[in-house]
Amino acid sequence: MTTTSAPFRRAAYDAVIVGGGHNGLVAAAYLARAGKSVLVLERLGHTGGAAVSTRPFAGVDARLSRYSYLVSLLPAKIVRDLGLQFAVRGRTVSSYTPVERDGRAGGLLIGGSEARTRESFARLTGSGREYERWRAFYATTGRLARKVFPTLTEPLPSRSELRARVDDEAAWRMLFEEPLGLAVERHFADDLVRGVVLTDGLIGTFADAHDPSLAQNRCFLYHVIGGGTGDWNVPVGGMGALTDALARAARAAGAEILTGHEALRIDTDGTGAPAEVTFRTATGEGAVAGRAVLVNASPRALAELLGEAPAAPAEGAQLKVNMLLRRLPRLRDTSVDPREAFGGTFHIAEGYEQLARAHAEAATGELPSVPPSEIYCHSLTDPSILGPELVARGYQTLTLFGLHTPARLFEKDNRGAREVLLAGTLAQLDAHLAEPLTECLALDADGRPCIEAKTPLDLDRELRLPGGHIFHRDLSWPYADGPETGRWGVETRHPNVLLCGAGAVRGGGVSGVPGHNAAMAVLGR
Ligand SMILES: Cc1cc2nc3c(=O)[nH]c(=O)nc-3n(C[C@H](O)[C@H](O)[C@H](O)COP(=O)(O)OP(=O)(O)OC[C@H]3O[C@@H](n4cnc5c(N)ncnc54)[C@H](O)[C@@H]3O)c2cc1C
């Protein structure tokens, strides 16, 4: 073993943070601002984890949010507390879902204006009923969001405390106790409308509408409470702008951030004495002590670092595709401008029955024959991620997030399954376009089409997301599940080792919440 000469300033820190994902950086910034000495060790050559911008296409000045792409769960309080130079922008259209009925191309447009949304519902469903149900349903989730969201950055409430805070028996039952499918079927009659509602419960979550685990409910909950509104906004400058602002804030407050440093082991004697983190760099190994060690890496990594029994297995279930287009494709549904349709979330093959079928096929080991996915165009809302020449030429980015493709489907042949799934997914999109998408793809400097696809296994390899799970593990309820959960939901059985990443209680998504909460736990607040 070569011992690397430590490039950092101290042999011991108040806090050593394993992982420079956005949550690790949030924790670092809070702790450094509170006067603590902080060292962040990140294994990759850059910070950000799944919240980064990159130029994936050779010679093309397009900085895409490579993995995560929309922001809802980041509390304004964190942006304010840390003085971040970071902004989000609302989308004028929330979603568009194309559909062919009676041989006619149409679709459901949500957003633009209330009148347009109402009219779109009426045209699709033949009456005003479905729209009224939609309004009532989301009024309920909105009321719940305003009560639950502020609790995410407070000490963890018990189940009964949160229930009392929600103070709405019907809403509590619908979201916290019964499978989401019951509420969806009770409120809505139209298959397409049901599907659009359900998708928020299936992002990065492999579950059926009636799954007794209620994993779909927890995923849905995190998708409708963000910011107290459930709005999903566009990060100006791309997701990397958030990470860069966080890294700047942490460094400005005195935190040291080292990339290319992979933690290998955490030794702690459980007494609260400083723990030791052994790490590896390109040139050798070293060790550093931390009075607290905060692990931004996944629960799987935490168990490995501590040499403990493996964490419960996690499995991601999504396909992520990044594209650059020379122009947006024309739609078969001529009642909607492509700029509106792609500016919000564009749902494909996400009817309620289609989602159920895709889940059932995947559960039996098959790639979905009609793969569901959703698409959005960042550059329509925020062109700043494209170089000026691309903007002048009308280029646009496209991000696709596919559902119901669990990691197990890729284990035999990742590359082959990726190709088959990508082709099948694009075929579903093409069915609603007046021209094939591939004709609109830009070419990189080597003449290759600007498109890349990532399976769950790719994400595990690149980012160490366990089984490619975008939330490190299935989301938890935002309340204490028993006394062992701890005051902030970040505690482990070692008093000086905390989780500060997506796998914590109230983790998952681009929120900074577990980073904030781990910092509060260290500060004893
Ligand atoms: C394709 C995709 C799309 C998504 N879309 C959205 C979205 O639109 N909106 C949203 O809110 N969420 C989205 N998510 C989820 C969200 O991105 C993640 O839940 C969130 O970024 C997790 O942040 P984190 O800081 O907790 O962990 P991570 O981002 O996973 O960061 C952990 C860091 O720890 C490092 N690390 C791991 N092991 C070690 C080690 N041994 N030593 C040192 N460093 C280590 C990793 O390299 C990484 O940098 C998406 C995720 C993916 C993958």
Side-chain angles (χ1 to χ4, degrees), residues 166-197:
V166 167
D167 191 25
D168 179 338
E169 271 309 303
W172 181 269
R173 197 171 345 101
M174 168 173 114
L175 291 179
F176 287 80
E177 291 182 346
E178 295 175 351
L180 180 62
L182 292 182
V184 172
E185 289 165 26
R186 205 165 45 235
H187 282 80
F188 305 104
D190 187 273
D191 182 83
L192 193 80
V193 177
R194 285 179 172 181
V196 171
V197 177

Side-chain angles (χ1 to χ4, degrees), residues 17-25 40-52 65-74 203 223 232-233 239 258 260-265 277-280 295-298 301 304-305 318-321 376 399-401 454 459 462-466 468-472 475 500-504 507-512 514-515:
I17 300 179
V18 175
H22 84 285
N23 275 313
L25 298 174
V40 178
L41 302 174
E42 166 56 49
R43 62 176 270 272
L44 294 173
H46 55 81
T47 54
V52 288
S65 302
R66 192 171 219 170
Y67 308 105
S68 54
Y69 48 102
L70 288 172
V71 176
S72 175
L73 291 159
L74 176 70
I203 299 293
H223 276 85
W232 284 84
N233 296 317
M239 211 48 108
L258 296 179
H261 282 63
E262 175 178 3
L264 300 177
R265 206 172 61 242
V277 181
T278 304
F279 61 83
R280 173 169 56 203
V295 177
N296 175 212
S298 67
E304 286 165 5
L305 289 167
Q318 69 292 320
L319 176 75
K320 172 80 200 282
V321 185
Y376 120 96
T399 284
L400 181 148
F401 192 96
K454 309 270 182 201
L459 297 180
E462 290 170 21
L463 297 175
R464 301 259 173 102
L465 299 177
H469 201 307
I470 70 168
F471 306 131
H472 291 187
L475 293 164
C500 76
V510 177
S511 72

Side-chain angles (χ1 to χ4, degrees), residues 207-514:
D208 177 70
H210 293 277
D211 199 306
S213 75
L214 304 190
Q216 72 282 25
N217 289 49
R218 295 192 290 278
C219 181
F220 186 80
L221 186 70
Y222 280 86
H223 276 85
V224 296
I225 59 172
T229 61
D231 290 344
W232 284 84
N233 296 317
V234 176
V236 176
M239 211 48 108
L242 172 62
T243 290
D244 292 348
L246 285 167
R248 272 197 305 275
R251 284 203 174 97
E256 292 166 58
I257 302 174
L258 296 179
T259 56
H261 282 63
E262 175 178 3
L264 300 177
R265 206 172 61 242
I266 299 173
D267 291 298
T268 176
D269 65 7
T271 63
E276 188 173 78
V277 181
T278 304
F279 61 83
R280 173 169 56 203
T281 68
T283 54
E285 289 187 10
V288 62
R291 276 174 276 283
V293 175
L294 280 63
V295 177
N296 175 212
S298 67
R300 178 182 74 183
L302 173 69
E304 286 165 5
L305 289 167
L306 288 166
E308 294 183 344
E315 187 182 35
Q318 69 292 320
L319 176 75
K320 172 80 200 282
V321 185
N322 294 311
M323 294 171 260
L324 181 69
L325 306 182
R326 288 181 291 112
R327 62 169 193 282
L328 288 176
R330 285 177 286 113
L331 298 173
R332 286 186 55 218
D333 175 7
T334 51
S335 71
V336 178
D337 186 316
R339 297 178 70 85
E340 283 191 304
F342 287 103
T345 300
F346 187 116
H347 298 271
I348 304 157
E350 291 189 331
Y352 197 65
E353 290 299 326
Q354 286 174 315
L355 288 167
R357 203 170 325 119
H359 179 268
E361 287 171 346
T364 59
E366 301 291 327
L367 284 172
S369 51
V370 179
S373 67
E374 42 200 74
I375 286 190
Y376 120 96
C377 172
H378 181 111
S379 50
L380 282 170
T381 307
D382 168 35
S384 74
I385 62 167
L386 297 178
E389 200 194 321
L390 297 184
V391 174
R393 286 157 70 186
Y395 279 43
Q396 302 286 357
T397 62
L398 219 51
T399 284
L400 181 148
F401 192 96
L403 306 184
H404 285 340
T405 58
R408 68 192 90 146
L409 304 182
F410 301 88
E411 266 156 14
K412 244 203 280 162
D413 175 10
N414 187 39
R415 180 200 285 235
R418 189 201 297 121
E419 273 174 24
V420 170
L421 180 61
L422 179 60
T425 302
L426 294 185
Q428 290 308 315
L429 172 60
D430 277 350
H432 300 289
L433 303 182
E435 56 186 334
L437 181 79
T438 44
E439 285 189 7
C440 301
L441 284 174
L443 300 179
D444 71 9
D446 304 319
R448 283 187 301 247
C450 292
I451 179 165
E452 65 163 15
K454 309 270 182 201
T455 69
L457 295 192
D458 297 330
L459 297 180
D460 193 337
R461 206 189 51 246
E462 290 170 21
L463 297 175
R464 301 259 173 102
L465 299 177
H469 201 307
I470 70 168
F471 306 131
H472 291 187
R473 62 175 163 199
D474 283 350
L475 293 164
S476 54
W477 294 113
Y479 55 70
D481 226 356
E484 69 284 0
T485 315
R487 179 171 156 79
W488 285 97
V490 296
E491 293 81 356
T492 71
R493 62 191 190 87
H494 307 283
N496 54 359
V497 180
L498 303 172
L499 202 52
C500 76
V505 179
R506 307 184 289 187
V510 177
S511 72
V513 166

Side-chain angles (χ1 to χ4, degrees), residues 28-38 82 247-256:
Y30 270 103
L31 291 172
R33 286 169 75 97
K36 301 289 180 192
S37 56
V38 178
L82 301 180
R248 272 197 305 275
R251 284 203 174 97
E256 292 166 58

